[in-house]
C-alpha cells in the first residue's frame, strides 16, 4: 500500500503484545479515527462498526490482555522502535474515552486502572477505586519540575548529552519521561492492581519532543538526542509494563507530526430537543444499530421455540392415558389389588 504525505501523517507501532493478541506484519495503513477501536478489540470489547483492517487478527478470544498502554508522541512522523509498525491514514485526534467507559461499565465493582494523562497540557483523567494509588503522580508543570530535582529522578540516570537542565523546554521533555518512570514505579509497589481480574488502560500524550523541535529545529543535535532518549525510554517503559503484567499487556505507540484537526469532544446541549427537530424535519426513523439483526433473530427463534414447546406439551397432556402415566394410578388399579 502506498501512503502519500498529505494523506498519511504518522505511524502506529506495537512494541509488546501477548500471544493472545495477533498483529500481522505488513504495511497496511490504519485510519487515525479507528485507533480507539483497535484498542477496544484487543481488549475484547465490541465496536459499533466493523474494522476492515488486516493488521489485527482474531487471536485467542478466551484470553484477553490485562492492560492496554497507548503512548502518543507528537512532533515526529515515526520513531525507530522495536516492533511492528503501520502507517496512519488521516491522522486525526482521538481519545480512548469509549474504552474507558466500557471498562467502568463492565467492571465498576472491581479495581480497574484507567489513567489518561497529557503532562504538557496538565490534562489528567483518573477514575475508579484503583486510581487512589496514582494520586501521588505529578501531573502539573510545577509538580513535574519539582519532581525532576528530587532523589531517584531520571536526571540521575539519563544521558542528557546536548540537553540542558536549565532550559524550560528541555525540562518539559524530561518531565514527561519522569512520568513514565513514576507510573512503572508506583505500579511495581502495588502489584495487586496488575494481578486482579479487571483490565487496565493507560493513555499518555507526550508533546515534549515537539517543543524541542520548535525550540532548536529538527536538524539540531538537541532534537536528535531527545529522539534517541525518548526511543530508549519508551522501549524500557514497554518492557517494564509488559513484565509487571506477566506478559499479558499490549503496549502501543502512536507517532504523529501534527494532527489534521483539533480534538473535539462530544457534549450535550441544552437545546438538544429543538436541534433534533431541525435536523430531522421529515420525521424519519432512526438508523438501526449494528446489533439489531442479531437481537431480532435471538428473540424471534426463542419465541417460536417456546410456542412450539407449549403446543407439544399441551397436546401430550390432553391425550395422556392415566393408566400408563404414574405408579399412583397403577397401584390403585382394582385388578392389581386382587392379585
Amino acid at each position: 500500500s502506498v501512503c502519500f504525505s498529505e494523506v498519511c501523517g504518522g505511524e502506529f507501532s506495537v512494541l509488546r503484545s501477548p500471544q493472545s493478541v495477533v498483529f500481522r506484519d505488513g504495511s497496511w495503513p490504519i485510519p487515525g479515527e479507528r485507533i480507539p477501536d483497535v484498542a477496544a478489540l484487543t481488549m475484547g470489547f465490541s465496536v459499533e462498526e466493523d474494522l476492515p483492517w488486516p493488521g489485527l487478527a482474531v487471536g485467542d478470544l478466551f484470553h484477553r490482555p490485562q492492560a492496554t498502554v497507548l503512548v502518543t508522541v507528537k512532533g515526529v512522523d515515526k520513531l525507530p522502535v522495536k516492533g511492528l509498525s503501520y502507517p496512519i491514514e488521516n491522522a486525526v485526534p482521538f481519545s480512548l474515552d469509549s474504552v474507558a467507559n466500557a471498562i467502568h461499565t463492565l467492571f465498576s465493582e472491581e479495581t480497574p486502572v484507567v489513567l489518561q494523562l497529557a503532562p504538557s497540557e496538565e490534562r489528567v483523567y483518573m477514575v475508579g477505586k484503583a486510581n487512589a494509588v496514582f494520586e501521588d503522580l505529578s501531573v502539573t508543570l510545577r509538580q513535574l519540575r519539582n519532581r525532576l530535582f528530587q532523589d531517584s529522578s531520571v536526571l540521575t540516570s539519563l544521558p542528557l548529552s546536548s540537553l540542558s537542565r536549565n532550559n524550560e523546554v528541555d525540562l518539559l521533555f524530561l518531565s514527561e519521561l519522569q512520568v513514565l518512570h513514576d507510573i512503572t514505579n508506583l505500579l511495581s509497589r502495588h502489584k495487586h492492581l496488575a494481578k486482579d481480574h479487571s483490565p487496565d488502560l493507560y493513555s499518555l500524550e507526550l508533546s515534549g519532543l515537539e517543543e524541542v523541535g520548535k525550540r532548536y529545529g529538527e536538524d539540531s543535535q538537541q532534537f536528535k538526542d531527545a529522539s534517541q532518549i525518548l526511543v530508549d525510554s519508551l522501549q524500557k517503559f514497554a518492557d517494564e509494563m509488559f513484565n509487571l503484567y506477566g506478559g499479558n499487556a499490549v503496549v502501543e505507540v502512536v507517532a504523529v507530526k501534527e494532527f489534521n484537526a483539533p480534538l473535539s469532544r462530544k457534549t450535550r446541549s441544552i437545546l438538544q430537543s429543538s436541534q433534533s427537530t431541525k435536523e430531522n424535519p421529515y420525521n424519519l426513523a432512526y438508523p438501526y444499530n449494528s446489533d439489531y439483526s442479531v437481537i431480532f433473530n435471538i428473540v424471534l427463534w426463542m419465541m417460536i421455540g417456546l410456542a412450539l414447546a407449549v403446543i407439544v406439551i399441551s397436546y401430550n397432556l390432553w391425550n395422556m392415558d392415566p393408566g400408563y402415566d404414574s405408579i399412583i394410578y397403577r397401584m390403585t388399579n382394582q385388578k392389581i389389588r386382587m392379585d
Side-chain angles (χ1 to χ4, degrees), residues 198-210:
S198 56
D200 301 335
L201 177 67
Y202 302 86
S203 176
L204 310 172
E205 186 175 313
L206 310 181
S207 57
L209 184 64
E210 181 182 29

Side-chain angles (χ1 to χ4, degrees), residues 147-168:
R147 177 70 183 91
L148 276 177
F149 294 98
Q150 294 175 0
D151 296 334
S152 70
S153 75
V154 294
L155 290 179
T156 60
S157 59
L158 287 179
L160 300 183
S161 302
S162 59
L163 300 179
S164 172
R165 295 168 175 254
N166 302 320
N167 194 296
E168 292 294 332

Side-chain angles (χ1 to χ4, degrees), residues 108-316:
S108 58
E109 299 300 323
E110 300 182 38
T111 55
V113 178
V114 177
L115 176 63
Q116 296 177 265
L117 183 63
S120 62
E121 299 179 9
E122 297 188 354
R123 177 161 46 86
V124 61
Y125 174 79
M126 292 188 289
V127 179
K129 302 173 184 177
N131 285 297
V133 173
F134 295 93
E135 288 179 351
D136 297 332
L137 194 66
S138 300
V139 291
T140 66
L141 295 178
R142 181 185 295 274
Q143 292 174 342
L144 290 169
R145 183 183 176 89
N146 294 336
R147 177 70 183 91
L148 276 177
F149 294 98
Q150 294 175 0
D151 296 334
S152 70
S153 75
V154 294
L155 290 179
T156 60
S157 59
L158 287 179
L160 300 183
S161 302
S162 59
L163 300 179
S164 172
R165 295 168 175 254
N166 302 320
N167 194 296
E168 292 294 332
V169 173
D170 298 3
L171 290 177
L172 172 64
F173 168 75
L174 295 170
S175 64
E176 293 181 342
L177 305 184
Q178 183 66 54
V179 172
L180 300 180
H181 174 75
D182 289 344
I183 289 175
T184 55
N185 190 25
L186 286 170
L187 195 59
S188 63
R189 296 206 308 253
H190 301 83
K191 293 184 178 179
H192 64 279
L193 296 177
K195 296 180 180 179
D196 58 9
H197 298 290
S198 56
D200 301 335
L201 177 67
Y202 302 86
S203 176
L204 310 172
E205 186 175 313
L206 310 181
S207 57
L209 184 64
E210 181 182 29
E211 298 300 324
V212 171
K214 291 179 180 178
R215 173 68 175 81
Y216 300 105
E218 297 183 5
D219 295 329
S220 63
Q221 188 62 39
Q222 287 90 342
F223 185 80
K224 295 177 182 177
D225 291 341
S227 300
Q228 186 59 48
I229 293 173
L230 179 60
V231 169
D232 295 340
S233 299
L234 287 175
Q235 203 71 54
K236 180 182 178 183
F237 176 70
D239 294 340
E240 290 178 350
M241 293 295 286
F242 189 75
N243 294 330
L244 284 170
Y245 280 92
N248 197 18
V250 179
V251 185
E252 302 158 336
V253 172
V254 172
V256 60
K257 182 72 174 177
E258 60 181 5
F259 288 117
N260 295 339
L263 176 62
S264 60
R265 296 181 180 269
K266 293 183 179 179
T267 57
R268 296 190 62 182
S269 172
I270 58 176
L271 303 176
Q272 189 172 4
S273 58
S274 62
Q275 289 175 354
S276 61
T277 306
K278 296 178 182 178
E279 292 172 0
N280 190 10
Y282 303 110
N283 195 25
L284 300 176
Y286 61 89
Y288 288 120
N289 188 277
S290 59
D291 297 330
Y292 176 81
S293 59
V294 178
I295 298 173
F296 178 80
N297 276 274
I298 291 174
V299 174
L300 173 65
W301 294 109
M302 184 178 294
M303 295 302 294
I304 293 175
L306 289 174
L308 291 175
V310 170
I311 293 172
V312 171
I313 293 171
S314 301
Y315 177 81
N316 283 278

